[in-house]
Amino acid sequence: MEISSFPFLTPEDYSHFNSLYPELDSPDPVNKSNKRRRTDGNGNGGNVREGSEDLKEPTATVNEILASLLLMDEEEKQELGDWWSSWLLEPNLKQAAGTTKHYNEQLQQNYSQTQESDMPSNKRPRLARSSAPTTASVSVYSDGNRNSDKSVQKDAGSRSGGGRTVHHRRLWVKDRSKDWWERCSHPDYPEEEFKRDFRMSRATFDMICNELDSIITKKDTMLRAAIPVRQRVAVCIWRLATGEPLRLVSKRFGLGISTCHKLVLEVCSAIKTVLMPKYLQWPNEGRMRRVKEEFESLCGIPNVGGSMYTTHVAIIAPKISMVAYLNKRHTERNHKTSYSITVQGVVDDKGVFTDICIGWPGSMPDDQVLEKSALYQRASRGLLKDVWIVGNSGYPLMDWVLVPYAHRNLTWSQHAFNEKIGEAQRVVKQAFSRLKGRWSCLQKRTEVKLQDLPIVLGACCVLHNICEMMNEEMDPQLVFELFDDEMVPANSLRSASSVQARDHIAHNLLHHGLSGPFL
């Protein structure tokens, strides 16, 4: 609402009135109309002013009236100004005075804190003993109302010597719902639903938590309680199993997005440090003997110690060496530019990984990935003597790598040999299908940074081994269909002796009745 001032008269207005009545301004007005001729007794006439006494002594002239009006206007202006000052200026002056007082108090407190920090160290314990307990306050922001504060206060006081006011320390924490996790972690939660959510039974999950308890346990602080071990492991396994974005994982477990990301990396690193040496290792002599026997009963080929395969995991286009990670085969298949890294794995007869090599760019063929792996270095040192590792046509034929015949016009024995190699390869392909099906994060482009991805993929392989060793049944609908193309290497022959060994195995399969129903 706007308030306008009253239009007071100005001196120009007064001059206007004077111009209208000039005769009133003259002290001795002379007008013929006001003069009357009076004749005396002698008949002589003369000009006599009528009512001259009334004109000389008027009760109030126009100038006096206007002066009174002007004085009244000035008084009214003064009163109106005083009213505006009392209504507007005084609150502002009070607010300014309060702000200045608050600033002076803050300045005095900062000065006192500076003096306390500059005080010698030998005087601080005495000062701390003389001070009263401070106040600890925690304020919580809810999603809907930022003014809802939950404060926990202890006894508050001021310093006995200086009388300094102690201010509360405030911690802002977003209130998130943890209903789903509390219901899921309850003992009454159905076992089938728990297994469907985490791809393993509750007993296997508890075993993993017990194994990682010593390395991922955090202590409570004065500001907040530490996240329990079970919840930490659950966040990681849920993220790997479902592949959900971090924002959905955050809502499900009632934690921050950055906290969930940090937990996934911490738990995966702990799995690599603690569980990988126990559940993913090359077989010893006794176990290798058993693996050879199982593979020979499966495919008829003796001394097979494992089956090898290389798959690809899609990634977001990296900022460095983008061309090296370009996967041409997936790009041609999907009609969309695809980038990937390789995962080479060797499994035993049960589909349990015994060796993995993770992280090489997706443009590298399988034979180059093999040459850069630790398995190749182990074989070069002679540690794989009398052991065959069965691979597909993407690997070269070597003294310890057995691959099928890749040329056309195969003989009966060569064709039978390829069939048996295919049975051994089926074991590793099914293992990779269960790996990607159980951990859905491997089925699409991952959001994990390239330098952290080998740790995450290694944790997936370890968890796969645990589930296989614990005989965790997998839902058939979750099995993933592999579509990695095989590329024949430029140099598919690395050893002449391996050619003779392969021909001898193929001959025995055909003439000793080990080729199965093919004949």
Side-chain angles (χ1 to χ4, degrees):
M1 180 178 65
E2 296 183 359
I3 301 177
S4 59
S5 60
F6 184 82
F8 298 104
L9 298 178
T10 61
E12 289 77 4
D13 298 330
Y14 302 146
S15 62
H16 176 69
F17 281 108
N18 293 335
S19 63
L20 293 177
Y21 304 98
E23 68 278 1
L24 298 180
D25 295 337
S26 176
D28 187 13
V30 179
N31 196 333
K32 292 181 179 180
S33 62
N34 294 332
K35 295 181 181 179
R36 296 173 59 184
R37 186 178 297 274
R38 186 175 62 182
T39 305
D40 55 4
N42 298 326
N44 297 326
N47 293 332
V48 180
R49 184 174 298 174
E50 182 181 12
S52 61
E53 296 179 356
D54 296 336
L55 294 175
K56 290 181 181 180
E57 298 177 357
T59 58
T61 62
V62 174
N63 288 336
E64 292 176 352
I65 296 174
L66 295 177
S68 300
L69 291 175
L70 181 61
L71 181 61
M72 294 174 62
D73 293 340
E74 291 295 334
E75 293 177 354
E76 188 174 358
K77 286 182 180 180
Q78 185 66 26
E79 294 178 357
L80 185 61
D82 295 341
W83 180 81
W84 276 101
S85 298
S86 62
W87 189 68
L88 294 178
L89 297 180
E90 289 182 2
N92 294 335
L93 291 175
K94 291 180 180 180
Q95 183 177 4
T99 303
T100 304
K101 182 179 179 181
H102 178 69
Y103 174 76
N104 292 334
E105 292 178 356
Q106 294 291 335
L107 186 63
Q108 182 65 24
Q109 292 174 7
N110 294 335
Y111 179 72
S112 300
Q113 294 176 0
T114 304
Q115 285 183 339
E116 182 179 354
S117 61
D118 295 339
M119 188 176 298
S121 58
N122 56 356
K123 293 184 179 181
R124 290 181 183 175
R126 182 179 301 176
L127 180 62
R129 287 193 298 268
S130 62
S131 60
T134 57
T135 301
S137 175
V138 178
S139 299
V140 180
Y141 273 170
S142 61
D143 292 337
N145 185 8
R146 294 182 62 87
N147 296 326
S148 60
D149 296 346
K150 298 180 181 179
S151 300
V152 180
Q153 298 184 351
K154 300 179 181 178
D155 295 336
S158 60
R159 290 179 54 181
S160 59
R164 180 169 59 88
T165 304
V166 179
H167 289 271
H168 305 323
R169 184 173 182 179
R170 305 175 68 84
L171 175 66
W172 305 105
V173 181
K174 187 175 182 180
D175 188 14
R176 295 181 174 89
S177 176
K178 299 181 180 180
D179 294 339
W180 182 87
W181 166 242
E182 292 176 354
R183 184 175 68 255
C184 188
S185 59
H186 196 272
D188 296 337
Y189 193 72
E191 181 69 20
E192 293 297 329
E193 295 184 11
F194 187 92
K195 188 174 182 179
R196 184 178 63 252
D197 294 338
F198 296 97
R199 307 296 194 265
M200 61 183 66
S201 63
R202 194 187 303 272
T204 304
F205 179 83
D206 293 339
M207 185 272 295
I208 295 175
C209 294
N210 295 333
E211 292 281 350
L212 301 179
D213 182 81
S214 60
I215 193 172
I216 66 175
T217 300
K218 303 296 181 181
K219 295 182 179 180
D220 297 341
T221 63
M222 297 179 61
L223 300 179
R224 67 183 68 188
I227 302 175
V229 173
R230 289 178 55 84
Q231 188 174 5
R232 290 173 177 269
V233 177
V235 170
C236 178
I237 294 181
W238 177 269
R239 165 78 166 153
L240 299 179
T242 62
E244 285 187 349
L246 289 173
R247 56 182 180 83
L248 299 181
V249 180
S250 171
K251 293 181 179 179
R252 187 174 296 274
F253 287 90
L255 301 173
I257 296 178
S258 60
T259 302
C260 293
H261 177 67
K262 183 179 179 180
L263 290 179
V264 171
L265 296 182
E266 287 182 355
V267 176
C268 287
S269 180
I271 291 174
K272 177 180 177 296
T273 304
V274 178
L275 300 182
M276 183 174 288
K278 296 181 179 180
Y279 298 97
L280 200 158
Q281 56 183 348
W282 190 255
N284 52 26
E285 294 183 2
R287 184 183 173 192
M288 179 60 72
R289 189 181 304 108
R290 185 190 60 81
V291 172
K292 289 181 179 180
E293 294 175 356
E294 293 294 335
F295 269 114
E296 186 174 3
S297 63
L298 176 65
C299 61
I301 302 176
N303 296 328
V304 175
S307 184
M308 181 170 53
Y309 186 80
T310 299
T311 188
H312 291 256
V313 176
I315 61 173
I316 300 175
K319 298 181 180 179
I320 301 176
S321 302
M322 183 183 300
V323 179
Y325 291 90
L326 177 64
N327 192 321
K328 296 182 180 180
R329 291 169 292 177
H330 289 190
T331 299
E332 294 175 356
R333 179 187 295 271
N334 302 330
H335 303 288
K336 183 175 65 174
T337 305
S338 300
Y339 301 89
S340 66
I341 66 171
T342 60
V343 179
Q344 174 189 283
V346 180
V347 301
D348 60 7
D349 59 296
K350 302 297 183 181
V352 176
F353 288 100
T354 58
D355 183 87
I356 57 174
C357 178
I358 302 173
W360 291 104
S363 62
M364 295 179 59
D366 296 348
D367 60 328
Q368 294 183 12
V369 176
L370 176 61
E371 292 177 359
K372 296 182 179 298
S373 64
L375 179 65
Y376 188 88
Q377 301 298 327
R378 186 184 299 112
S380 300
R381 296 194 299 267
L383 301 179
L384 297 183
K385 186 178 180 180
D386 297 332
V387 175
W388 287 110
I389 303 299
V390 177
N392 54 27
S393 58
Y395 298 101
L397 178 63
M398 294 186 290
D399 292 335
W400 55 279
V401 178
L402 195 61
V403 298
Y405 292 94
H407 59 271
R408 298 182 179 179
N409 301 324
L410 301 177
T411 63
W412 288 100
S413 61
Q414 292 174 351
H415 189 79
F417 177 82
N418 286 357
E419 288 289 335
K420 293 302 180 180
I421 289 291
E423 293 180 3
Q425 274 284 288
R426 192 175 298 112
V427 176
V428 66
K429 288 183 179 181
Q430 291 177 355
F432 272 103
S433 296
R434 293 194 299 272
L435 173 70
K436 289 190 173 183
R438 183 177 279 120
W439 313 117
S440 301
C441 65
L442 307 180
Q443 301 178 10
K444 56 183 179 180
R445 294 190 303 175
T446 178
E447 301 174 357
V448 182
K449 293 182 179 179
L450 194 59
Q451 59 269 22
D452 299 329
L453 194 54
I455 298 177
V456 176
L457 299 182
C460 292
C461 294
V462 174
L463 294 175
H464 165 84
N465 282 2
I466 294 175
C467 292
E468 294 293 326
M469 293 178 181
M470 296 296 177
N471 297 322
E472 296 287 350
E473 296 182 0
M474 183 177 174
D475 188 354
Q477 298 180 355
L478 298 176
V479 177
F480 182 77
E481 182 179 358
L482 297 177
F483 53 88
D484 295 316
D485 298 325
E486 299 178 2
M487 295 179 61
V488 179
N491 184 13
S492 60
L493 181 61
R494 304 291 178 87
S495 174
S497 60
S498 61
V499 176
Q500 298 178 0
R502 183 175 62 174
D503 293 340
H504 180 71
I505 294 174
H507 178 79
N508 290 337
L509 289 175
L510 179 62
H511 294 282
H512 291 82
L514 301 176
S515 57
F518 174 74
L519 297 178

